[in-house]
Amino acid sequence: MTKTDQPEVKFEGEDANSGFASPALDLVATAILIAIAVTMMVASWRLPMPGEIHTAPGLLPFIIAASLLLMALGVGASALARCRSGSRIPIFGDRDVTTDFRSLLLAVAVSIYIAALQVLAFQHNIAIFGTNLRLTAFEPATIVALCSIIHVSWRGPIWITVLISVAWTLVLSLVFQLVFRIPLPGSF
């Protein structure tokens, strides 16, 4: 039996060689995460409790926000330790402008999508095979937003982008309407 001299393949994560962020950026992220976690904990604590503590509607959001708070404190402690040890990483030293621009486009697309669901509220009922389906602003807004997000992230043919966007949107719409019986955003 022959033995090959293949190096051992070890998965180290998606960002194995990326290293740490700047301690200053980690401290900014820590402050933002702490503010979000504390706000969510207070809001979930203020929800009315109809019965025992284990049936409280704010219990799960409180636990999740508390775990986010603990993780943020861990990131902050790590950043402070690196700062004290003299680790100096430039805040914007290794930025990739094209990646940052794509991230900005993604944020803009998501913001426009959320605004469209708020502004373009409409509803049209369609009967197909005896089943009443509701067409709302969710479907066209999601198709357009998903097309733009896929196109920014992947430069494939536009017909594949449109096909994927339409198919996924319709599948999700049907599942939420027929299986879960949950109204979709963009309706009234």
Side-chain angles (χ1 to χ4, degrees):
M1 187 167 174
T2 61
K3 183 178 178 182
T4 59
D5 292 327
Q6 298 274 339
E8 182 182 337
V9 176
K10 188 168 97 174
F11 180 71
E12 297 178 4
E14 294 176 11
D15 296 327
N17 296 325
S18 65
F20 287 110
S22 158
L25 286 178
D26 277 350
L27 289 174
V28 169
T30 298
I32 292 170
L33 290 173
I34 287 173
I36 291 171
V38 168
T39 302
M40 293 309 296
M41 289 171 73
V42 169
S44 63
W45 185 263
R46 289 184 177 173
L47 287 173
M49 187 170 35
E52 298 294 320
I53 186 74
H54 64 277
T55 62
L59 182 61
L60 183 61
F62 185 86
I63 291 171
I64 292 171
S67 69
L68 178 64
L69 178 65
L70 291 175
M71 289 185 276
L73 291 173
V75 169
S78 169
L80 286 175
R82 285 185 286 124
C83 194
R84 285 188 192 125
S85 71
S87 173
R88 298 285 179 244
I89 302 171
I91 293 178
F92 300 111
D94 60 347
R95 303 303 299 180
D96 180 20
V97 176
T98 58
T99 303
D100 290 344
F101 183 68
R102 285 185 179 196
S103 298
L104 180 65
L105 286 178
L106 176 64
V108 167
V110 170
S111 300
I112 291 172
Y113 172 64
I114 292 170
L117 288 178
Q118 297 298 317
V119 175
L120 302 174
F122 68 86
Q123 177 175 308
H124 182 70
N125 293 328
I126 303 169
I128 298 177
F129 302 118
T131 303
N132 187 26
L133 299 176
R134 186 174 295 134
L135 177 68
T136 64
F138 173 80
E139 287 84 5
T142 302
I143 289 169
V144 171
L146 197 53
C147 277
S148 64
I149 290 170
I150 293 172
H151 186 68
V152 165
S153 303
W154 177 65
R155 298 292 180 183
I158 194 72
W159 69 271
I160 293 176
T161 301
V162 171
L163 182 69
I164 290 170
S165 300
V166 169
W168 271 109
T169 302
L170 292 179
V171 166
L172 287 175
S173 177
L174 290 174
V175 166
F176 276 93
Q177 287 184 45
L178 300 176
V179 177
F180 298 132
R181 306 264 183 219
I182 297 174
L184 295 169
S187 62
F188 38 79

